[in-house]
Amino acid sequence: MATRLGLGKLSPKMRIVRDDITMDFLEDLTMIMRERGVTPRDLSDKTGRAVGTLQSIIYGTAYPTLETLMRMAEALDYDLIESANYTNWQKVKDQQ
């Protein structure tokens, strides 16, 4: 999957993710956090990432590594695979 996303052979800690799936997640991130009652501090506690790092990602001034993205999604009980399937389905539908 990493190669399919154009991420090459970098370790998950080094990959910066800017694909459609990630962008959809990041666009919805504040809404997801609000719905689940999660603060940046809560997300930091659940992911092991610094609050400042997460705030930069939340406010769109930084992109997450693949590892951070996966930890954030897991902490928020967000299914990246289901989202990817929906995103791909929408693209196909829009092209018809």
Side-chain angles (χ1 to χ4, degrees):
M1 179 168 169
T3 304
R4 196 174 78 218
L5 295 175
L7 301 173
K9 295 182 179 182
L10 296 173
S11 73
K13 292 182 182 182
M14 300 299 291
R15 295 180 188 134
I16 304 298
V17 186
R18 293 187 185 112
D19 57 49
D20 291 342
I21 300 163
T22 303
M23 299 313 290
D24 290 346
F25 174 64
L26 295 178
E27 287 174 11
D28 294 340
L29 184 56
T30 53
M31 179 188 66
I32 294 166
M33 289 176 66
R34 193 174 309 120
E35 286 176 356
R36 289 167 172 78
V38 175
T39 66
R41 167 60 62 198
D42 297 332
L43 195 55
S44 174
D45 292 343
K46 292 179 179 183
T47 62
R49 298 297 185 250
V51 173
T53 299
L54 294 173
Q55 286 177 325
S56 293
I57 294 167
I58 292 165
Y59 298 121
T61 58
Y63 291 99
T65 62
L66 181 57
E67 182 179 12
T68 299
L69 175 71
M70 292 170 65
R71 286 182 182 207
M72 292 170 67
E74 183 178 342
L76 294 168
D77 194 30
Y78 183 88
D79 190 335
L80 290 170
I81 302 301
E82 184 177 319
S83 175
N85 289 337
Y86 178 76
T87 299
N88 290 334
W89 176 81
Q90 276 298 115
K91 285 181 182 179
V92 169
K93 184 179 175 197
D94 291 343
Q95 291 174 357
Q96 294 177 348

